Amino acid sequence: MTAPPQGVEVDHIEFPAGRIRFYRAGSSGPAIILLHGGGPDNAMISWRHAIGVLAADHRVFVPDLPGQGGSMPWRGSANQRTFEEVLRWLLDAWQVPQAVLVGLSMGGSVAAGFALRNPQRVRGLVLVDSTGLQHRMHRHLLAHLALRSRFAGPLAAKLLRLNRTLVRHALTKIFFTGGQPVPDLESIVDEVGAEAGARGSVFADWHADAVARKAMRINHLPHLGQLRCPVMLIHGERDTLVPVQAARDAAGAIPGSMLRVLPDAGHWPNRERPTEFNALLREFVNTHR
């Protein structure tokens, strides 16, 4: 585990299925919950540069989702419903009746699903390059076959753990655009390699549950019109994992939502373009305090 930024506390809560590690910062103001993505991701990889910016006038909570980061091991399936239930338990434990949810990739699906099932607990919603908002993934059948293989996920994790060059290549070709320097790229390489090695697979249970052979089992798109809280979608223009059209479709389905597309950014605009990304995030949360 790499050290969190200055002023960020680390804590944990024990649940019957395992321990949830979380980070918190800020002593006053409305609550914001930051939810990271799947794959070789965790709370610090996703949100290292956002926590301090938001904590200036908000209380910020950043959990490692079950089965990732410091929330390993986890007994039982860490799927969409589990994530939503754990989020509800965490809000109760933190004594947070209502919060703005910010979700990246898989975390966006968790945030959207939670908001649809628990509207009274969500003050605002920010979906960042979110999965779970489309009928099919990019290269859907290939993704389905890889997820059904017993070897693809563990083999990829082993290679990432052993080869920093491979991690760097994967990041710049899959998660980033490769078109411009990424701040602190080498630190991200170290963290992603460590997370992949600790997990033993680059896939999460969420992916196996979400991706059926012909279509997505987890698809919030038909239900997004039910959202009544303020919603902003942030998406990297050159995201190769979740095409920007998915965000446009989702924005069109949510009454009054805002879509912000970051030019020349990929699937992790929060780490590729942190200054611009954090400015958009602060604008939203300060507007909807």
Side-chain angles (χ1 to χ4, degrees):
M1 167 184 158
T2 57
Q6 186 174 2
V8 177
E9 300 177 4
V10 187
D11 206 341
H12 70 273
I13 298 175
E14 296 284 350
F15 293 109
R19 169 184 294 193
I20 295 294
R21 181 175 72 186
F22 66 92
Y23 303 86
R24 60 185 169 197
S27 58
S28 62
I32 301 173
I33 317 298
L34 304 178
L35 302 173
H36 63 76
D41 197 5
N42 60 42
M44 274 297 107
I45 293 175
S46 279
W47 303 117
R48 176 172 295 279
H49 295 315
I51 299 175
V53 171
L54 297 173
D57 43 19
H58 291 79
R59 291 174 297 135
V60 185
F61 300 87
V62 195
D64 281 328
L65 292 171
Q68 296 182 234
S71 300
M72 295 186 282
W74 185 263
R75 294 177 290 279
S77 180
N79 55 20
Q80 174 80 23
R81 187 52 60 90
T82 298
F83 289 149
E84 291 181 26
E85 283 298 294
V86 167
L87 179 57
R88 182 172 60 83
W89 297 339
L90 287 171
L91 289 174
D92 290 344
W94 295 330
Q95 298 183 331
V96 172
Q98 193 179 54
V100 170
L101 302 183
V102 182
L104 167 70
S105 192
M106 181 187 77
S109 177
V110 177
F114 184 88
L116 287 166
R117 291 184 176 89
N118 304 273
Q120 74 283 1
R121 305 208 67 171
V122 181
R123 192 175 70 255
L125 185 62
V126 181
L127 304 176
V128 185
D129 292 72
S130 178
T131 56
L133 305 181
Q134 56 194 130
H135 301 297
R136 289 172 58 87
M137 292 182 65
H138 182 55
R139 298 177 180 172
H140 188 93
L141 181 57
L142 181 62
H144 171 77
L145 294 174
L147 287 164
R148 292 299 173 271
S149 167
R150 290 189 302 164
F151 308 107
L155 177 60
K158 183 176 182 180
L159 292 173
L160 291 175
R161 177 174 61 86
L162 296 174
N163 192 326
R164 293 185 82 257
T165 301
L166 182 61
V167 176
R168 191 183 301 106
H169 178 79
L171 285 170
T172 55
K173 297 303 179 184
I174 299 174
F175 293 95
F176 305 130
T177 66
Q180 59 184 346
V182 176
D184 58 1
L185 175 61
E186 294 308 308
S187 295
I188 304 173
V189 169
D190 291 337
E191 292 179 88
V192 166
E195 176 69 17
R199 288 266 305 285
S201 176
V202 296
F203 301 132
D205 292 346
W206 184 93
H207 297 100
D209 278 2
V211 185
R213 182 176 182 85
K214 293 185 178 181
M216 294 292 291
R217 288 195 190 96
I218 297 176
N219 177 17
H220 306 298
L221 185 60
H223 310 291
L224 294 180
Q226 300 172 23
L227 292 171
R228 292 296 178 263
C229 64
V231 180
M232 179 168 68
L233 298 98
I234 304 175
H235 213 91
E237 182 183 40
R238 295 174 62 183
D239 188 342
T240 60
L241 292 176
V242 182
V244 68
Q245 186 58 45
R248 294 190 175 109
D249 293 342
I254 304 172
S257 65
M258 299 175 287
L259 172 62
R260 301 290 184 264
V261 177
L262 282 175
D264 298 322
H267 190 61
W268 281 359
N270 47 312
R271 292 306 300 261
E272 189 170 16
R273 303 278 295 277
T275 301
E276 296 96 321
F277 176 84
N278 288 337
L280 290 175
L281 201 51
R282 271 195 62 82
E283 178 185 2
F284 179 85
V285 299
N286 286 336
T287 301
H288 304 288
R289 291 178 62 86

